[in-house]
Amino acid sequence: MSDAGHARPIRTPDQRLRVFVSSTLRELEPERRAARDAIERLRLAPVMFELGARPHPPRDLYRAYLEQSDVFVGLYWQQYGWIAPNETISGLEDEYRLAPLAMPKLIYLKQPADRHERLDGLIARIRDDDTAAYKSFSSADELGQLIEADLATLLAERFDASRASPGPSSTEDATSGRLPASVTPLVGREHDVSTLLAWLGGERRLITLAGPGGIGKSRLVIEVARLAQNRFDRVTFVALEHVRDAEDVLPAIARGLGVREAENRPVAELIAIARAGRRDLLVLDNFEQILTAAPLLVSLLTDMPGATCLVTSRARLRVRGEHVFDVEPLRVLAKPATASLAEILESPSVQLFRERAEAADPRFRMTAGNAEHVALICRALDGVPLAIELAAARIRALTPATMLAKLDRVLPLLVTAARDVPERQRTITATVEWSIHLLSADAQMLFTRLGVFVGAFSLDAVEAVASEEPWATDLLGILLELVDSSLVRQHDVEGVPFFSMLAPVREVATARFASDEGAPDARRRHAEHYIRVAGEAEPLLEGATQLTTLTRLEAERDNLRAGYRYLIALGDVDTVAGAVWSLLLYWWIRNLLPEARAWMENILEAGVPLADRTRAIAIAFSSWVALSQPGTAVDPGRIDESVKLFHGVGDDFGEACALTVLSIAYLSASPPDLDRAETTQRRAVELARESPSFRALFRGALGSVLLVRGRASEALAIFDEVIDDSVRLGDRFVESITLTDAGWARLTLGEARPDLFVKHLRLSLDIGNEDGIGYAFEGLAACAALTGDAGRAGVFLGAAETARKRTGMIEQRSYVILLRPLIDRMLASADAGTDFEAGRARGRTLSRREALELALGPTPAISS
């Protein structure tokens, strides 16, 4: 007997499981009889006050009863119960408090009810007790059925548990409703977390975190819920990835909340009753495959006025009251080559790669030698967290440089063998295919057709490649289905809707498109569309519409390239040459002339007959770009051939462009042929009558020739006129170039005007003209040299040299002739040489941002 308190008792046949029934007596007398009958039908022993009086105080009695009972059943309606003298709580509440923590508790609430305030408080505490399950009932008969069924289920569950091997439970319900623990830190989502926490503090009650697979929705929502849990009475996490039918959603939520189902009561009603008066945060993860259940959430939130719902889904729910938070990729650096190590390490995508890579291989370190490669990897992966994590896990076998070289096809690289990752996220391909599987048949067809695109695309482009297909009767609606499913992203470019796909998604679409029987025809229509784009953009690249058109063309650049390459491969070179020529200003402003030259070289070497105009265009492009690159000899005779070919087909504009290239060639020769340069440029100005912007540019080129000839005042007069004309036209490119010209003319006349070069620099940044940065730095160096500031002159000259290396363009040869004398005069003074060379060395080491801030001052508009 001495071990009786520690060993499990051996029951005699008369000792059945005891069920303690707690309730007020008189108001629930019929219900207590129903409970007793239900318990006895199961051959269990009801433990109730009325089954036999005992000569003991009530508290001692029910304490003893509880100690000998196996199950607690609580019945509550309206009354709180009697409070004995010198006590602060009723016997009803005391019974619940004295019930052992490990004792199973079945709670039944009678409805409707006008409950005593203190009974409401007791029920609220019971609801937050993870050891209690509760249901509602309206009659004694219904209660009897519920108790009988629940006790039978409880016994079955306990019997199953007794047969399980020893050790902690691994059943799904063991952690039902609890937030999953995070095993890795959340990286780069500080702003997202802050925004969502603010949303939770407002009136938003249904918040959907929408985004493609692998974007980090689940990880983000768990962190937000964790930080917000003190604001709610309970936070319940419900994983829905294995739920396939809409009718199973509410039962899954009920299980997470610990609410038992009843055969004859709607689940939503049971949840609403059980959580009445409580502030709940429901976190529903992976909703995309059961979108038809979305209206049920709205109804549930109507029945639960204190609840808020956070949902993660690859597709929007599209129900009233929904607030969508688009989870975007992590920020990537647009130009890693121009960024310092510190700037690279600040990038959220790089931080994620670094953290995961160091976890995979503790020997890995970010250094100045591999930082740019890592940043380029993150950019190639479009900042998609899952893709970055999968790539970082390969660091044990691949260096960043080797990994980068393999990213021309990303999907084979992005695989994990981690056992704790869902199957649909073990490869990026599986993640994307899961989303595609959820689409309608028409949307799947359109997704495949979008594989023809290699970058952002407009609705017009989609219509061009798909509108004639039989499945494309509602093309916009189908496209929006892809947007809602997070496979396609929508954004505005200068007020025009554009669409794009993240790199891993695009690669799946490309692979599908390759086997599409309609691919050849779609490629042709794709290319023809971008030929039309060039023609429409040509007049808009001049004047006030310039910046908007540049931005739109930049968005379509990758598709322009793909379309033109396809036509060149087919031998349709004349069409491509005309389109590329139409976009002359775009290539020039955005520093893409070398690429245009490469196309022209391909055209010249295509081995197909060329139209005279096509040959003229190709020669002019190739020669012009060659003149701006170091170590390239240019034959004026070849350029003269282009002039004659343009003249022969009656293309005055083309002839004027070729004449300007020829003038530059004469000016750049050693020694320069200044007479021919001036004569040729004057002919160009006369021919450029149809284009105000190009006529202004050609007049500015004439002024540059005059400046080199020593006629600075005459040149300055031309420059000032052109600046006035460019401002009137609203042409920022013409204005920026001519401001530099005017600055050099004034330097020649002994006047330092750094403000002209600074304004030129600002305009260059506005229109995305990288070459303009080098020109501005050279001009600022010259201004500093003229005023005798050797250190500043050296810094800007060093920064200009670095900028030139970055863009691959050499300095303006005409202005080098003017800069060198200014530097030489400055260096003639004592100690200037040391300061100049020290400044020059410093300037060469400045990052792009640092150099720009030196010229302009700190500004958030400056990017790396």
Side-chain angles (χ1 to χ4, degrees):
M1 296 295 292
S2 61
D3 293 334
H6 303 286
R8 294 180 60 84
I10 300 175
R11 297 179 184 270
T12 59
D14 63 312
Q15 291 180 310
R16 295 169 290 169
L17 253 66
R18 303 181 183 96
V19 181
F20 183 92
V21 179
S22 172
S23 76
T24 53
L25 298 179
R26 292 182 181 177
E27 69 166 349
L28 289 173
E29 184 176 352
E31 285 76 12
R32 291 179 67 85
R33 287 197 299 271
R36 175 183 175 181
D37 292 343
I39 295 167
E40 290 181 337
R41 281 196 296 271
L42 292 172
R43 300 297 188 266
L44 306 180
V47 179
M48 310 173 75
F49 264 59
E50 58 267 42
L51 296 183
R54 295 289 187 274
H56 304 286
R59 196 168 194 271
D60 292 344
L61 191 64
Y62 59 70
R63 180 191 292 272
Y65 280 1
L66 278 167
E67 289 176 350
Q68 299 175 61
S69 297
D70 303 287
V71 181
F72 180 95
V73 170
L75 312 178
Y76 306 114
W77 186 16
Q78 298 182 138
Q79 296 180 11
Y80 177 63
W82 178 64
I83 302 175
N86 301 319
E87 298 289 343
T88 58
I89 61 174
S90 68
L92 188 71
E93 180 168 354
D94 200 28
E95 287 173 355
Y96 181 81
R97 289 188 177 189
L98 289 172
L101 185 64
M103 180 181 288
K105 303 177 183 69
L106 303 178
I107 309 299
Y108 300 92
L109 310 176
K110 185 172 181 178
Q111 303 289 348
D114 180 16
R115 292 193 183 93
H116 188 281
E117 181 180 359
R118 295 198 65 177
L119 180 59
D120 270 334
L122 171 60
I123 293 172
R125 287 189 291 277
I126 293 173
R127 284 177 180 143
D128 290 334
D129 185 349
D130 289 339
T131 66
Y134 38 87
K135 290 181 177 179
S136 59
F137 68 94
S138 58
S139 68
D141 288 342
E142 181 185 5
L143 174 66
Q145 295 172 12
L146 288 175
I147 291 176
E148 185 174 2
D150 290 343
L151 283 172
T153 300
L154 176 64
L155 293 175
E157 289 174 348
R158 291 304 168 106
F159 180 69
D160 286 342
S162 71
R163 293 189 301 181
S165 58
S169 171
S170 61
T171 63
E172 183 174 300
D173 287 340
T175 58
S176 178
R178 300 183 186 276
L179 281 175
S182 300
V183 297
T184 57
L186 184 66
V187 178
R189 294 295 190 188
E190 294 79 8
H191 181 265
D192 293 347
V193 169
S194 176
T195 300
L196 286 166
L197 287 174
W199 283 21
L200 287 175
E203 299 299 319
R204 297 175 173 89
R205 297 183 56 218
L206 176 56
I207 300 170
T208 303
L209 281 69
I215 205 69
K217 303 180 295 295
S218 298
R219 182 67 185 82
L220 175 60
V221 81
I222 290 169
E223 180 67 9
V224 170
R226 184 185 69 80
L227 294 174
Q229 56 190 349
N230 290 336
R231 305 182 187 180
F232 297 89
D233 297 322
R234 176 176 178 143
V235 175
T236 302
F237 182 88
V238 183
L240 298 172
E241 61 183 285
H242 298 301
V243 176
R244 295 292 181 269
D245 297 321
E247 63 186 20
D248 293 331
V249 172
L250 289 181
I253 295 173
R255 287 193 298 273
L257 288 167
V259 177
R260 291 176 179 266
E261 298 178 54
E263 292 183 4
N264 57 346
R265 300 291 291 274
V267 178
E269 180 182 338
L270 295 172
I271 295 173
I273 292 171
R275 302 305 296 166
R278 313 301 291 167
R279 282 180 49 79
D280 282 296
L281 177 61
L282 301 177
V283 182
L284 309 182
D285 194 33
N286 296 113
F287 206 89
E288 58 270 2
Q289 76 278 9
I290 40 173
L291 292 175
T292 53
L296 298 177
L297 291 187
V298 178
S299 298
L300 183 63
L301 289 175
T302 301
D303 295 336
M304 299 173 66
T308 298
C309 198
L310 282 174
V311 180
T312 71
S313 176
R314 301 187 186 192
R316 300 181 177 208
L317 307 190
R318 297 245 173 232
V319 291
R320 58 187 172 87
E322 179 189 26
H323 297 269
V324 178
F325 182 89
D326 289 313
V327 182
E328 298 290 342
L330 296 176
R331 183 173 58 82
V332 299
L333 288 172
K335 298 176 181 177
T338 68
S340 66
L341 176 61
E343 290 165 350
I344 291 176
L345 293 178
E346 289 174 0
S347 168
S349 56
V350 171
Q351 290 175 11
L352 178 63
F353 185 100
R354 179 185 185 182
E355 195 276 336
R356 300 300 190 261
E358 289 178 351
D361 185 353
R363 299 168 300 173
F364 174 76
R365 292 292 181 270
M366 288 277 293
T367 67
N370 64 21
E372 182 180 343
H373 293 140
V374 171
L376 289 169
I377 290 169
C378 295
R379 189 181 70 176
L381 298 175
D382 280 336
V384 178
L386 177 59
I388 292 172
E389 291 185 7
L390 294 176
R394 294 299 182 110
I395 204 67
R396 291 171 295 177
L398 301 172
T399 66
T402 306
M403 191 182 299
L404 181 63
K406 292 179 176 293
L407 283 181
D408 56 336
R409 289 192 70 247
V410 301
L411 298 182
L413 189 67
L414 305 182
V415 180
T416 182
R419 296 180 178 86
D420 61 339
V421 175
E423 185 64 34
R424 60 189 172 78
Q425 288 192 337
R426 297 215 175 159
T427 70
I428 283 289
T429 303
T431 297
V432 177
E433 291 289 354
W434 165 254
S435 295
I436 297 171
H437 170 72
L438 301 174
L439 297 172
S440 67
D442 290 346
Q444 291 188 34
M445 295 292 289
L446 179 58
F447 177 81
T448 298
R449 182 55 52 86
L450 296 183
V452 72
F453 295 108
V454 293
F457 48 89
S458 65
L459 179 60
D460 288 344
V462 177
E463 291 173 343
V465 301
S467 60
E468 297 180 9
E469 300 295 342
W471 43 264
T473 53
D474 179 17
L475 192 56
L476 179 58
I478 300 171
L479 182 60
L480 290 178
E481 182 181 345
L482 294 176
V483 173
D484 286 347
S485 299
S486 301
L487 287 166
V488 171
R489 309 172 73 212
Q490 190 270 325
H491 59 282
D492 286 348
V493 177
E494 297 295 338
V496 176
F498 268 71
F499 304 88
S500 62
M501 292 180 281
L502 295 171
V505 178
R506 186 170 59 249
E507 190 163 321
V508 173
T510 301
R512 284 176 163 239
F513 177 72
S515 58
D516 182 5
E517 62 181 15
D521 183 54
R523 288 190 191 279
R524 182 79 197 198
R525 282 186 276 158
H526 170 271
E528 290 171 347
H529 170 75
Y530 287 103
I531 294 294
R532 292 192 295 272
V533 166
E536 294 166 359
E538 182 178 15
L540 301 176
L541 282 167
E542 301 182 27
T545 55
Q546 184 177 84
L547 182 57
T548 298
T549 308
L550 286 169
T551 305
R552 288 192 57 184
L553 286 172
E554 193 68 23
E556 307 206 68
R557 184 177 69 188
D558 291 335
N559 283 297
L560 286 168
R561 288 169 168 164
Y564 297 170
R565 288 194 190 106
Y566 181 74
L567 291 177
I568 289 175
L570 293 180
D572 194 355
V573 294
D574 293 333
T575 300
V576 174
V580 172
W581 189 244
S582 296
L583 299 179
L584 171 60
L585 271 177
Y586 170 66
W587 312 124
W588 187 359
I589 295 172
R590 290 299 169 92
N591 315 108
L592 297 171
L593 286 172
E595 180 178 334
R597 178 196 183 189
W599 282 337
M600 295 304 106
E601 296 290 351
N602 290 338
I603 286 174
L604 290 172
E605 299 168 2
V608 297
L610 302 180
D612 286 349
R613 185 171 184 269
T614 297
R615 182 169 179 79
I617 290 170
I619 292 172
F621 255 129
S622 298
S623 302
W624 187 13
V625 177
L627 287 167
S628 64
Q629 294 181 324
T632 306
V634 179
D635 178 12
R638 191 163 185 256
I639 306 173
D640 191 50
E641 179 188 355
S642 176
V643 173
K644 291 175 180 176
L645 288 169
F646 275 124
H647 183 79
V649 297
D651 187 341
D652 288 349
F653 171 73
E655 184 178 354
C657 289
L659 285 167
T660 297
V661 175
L662 184 57
S663 176
I664 295 171
Y666 289 138
L667 194 64
S668 302
S670 296
D673 190 339
L674 299 181
D675 288 337
R676 283 191 174 184
E678 181 179 345
T679 302
T680 302
Q681 194 58 46
R682 288 189 183 278
R683 286 172 56 198
V685 172
E686 290 301 317
L687 285 171
R689 292 180 292 270
E690 300 299 324
S691 169
S693 290
F694 272 97
R695 181 174 173 81
L697 286 169
F698 296 159
R699 285 163 57 209
L702 175 60
S704 296
V705 175
L706 298 178
L707 183 60
V708 174
R709 302 203 75 171
R711 292 150 61 180
S713 297
E714 189 177 346
L716 181 59
I718 293 176
F719 296 148
D720 286 344
E721 289 177 6
V722 172
I723 290 172
D724 290 342
D725 289 346
S726 65
V727 171
R728 177 177 51 80
L729 292 169
D731 196 307
R732 301 187 191 193
F733 181 56
V734 175
E735 183 185 359
S736 70
I737 285 182
T738 316
L739 282 166
T740 301
D741 294 334
W744 282 103
R746 292 184 182 277
L747 281 165
T748 303
L749 294 171
E751 180 186 6
R753 288 286 302 275
D755 59 299
L756 297 178
F757 295 104
V758 168
K759 187 173 183 181
H760 158 85
L761 179 57
R762 293 188 186 280
L763 288 171
S764 296
L765 292 172
D766 287 346
I767 60 177
N769 180 232
E770 276 302 299
D771 281 343
I773 296 175
Y775 298 154
F777 290 166
E778 288 167 350
L780 291 171
C783 290
L786 183 64
T787 58
D789 190 339
R792 187 173 178 82
V795 168
F796 278 117
L797 186 59
E801 291 166 347
T802 298
R804 292 284 172 226
K805 288 180 181 178
R806 201 161 48 231
T807 61
M809 307 290 279
I810 63 170
E811 69 279 354
Q812 290 175 294
R813 299 183 188 184
S814 57
Y815 295 147
V816 171
I817 299 172
L818 304 174
L819 176 60
R820 284 174 181 163
L822 291 172
I823 298 293
D824 291 342
R825 284 197 296 271
M826 177 191 68
L827 294 178
S829 62
D831 299 326
T834 302
D835 292 344
F836 176 75
E837 291 302 333
R840 191 174 188 177
R842 179 187 165 220
R844 287 170 175 164
T845 64
L846 293 177
S847 69
R848 180 179 183 274
R849 174 186 287 273
E850 291 167 339
L852 290 173
E853 288 183 347
L854 183 64
L856 302 174
T859 167
I862 296 175
S863 66
S864 297

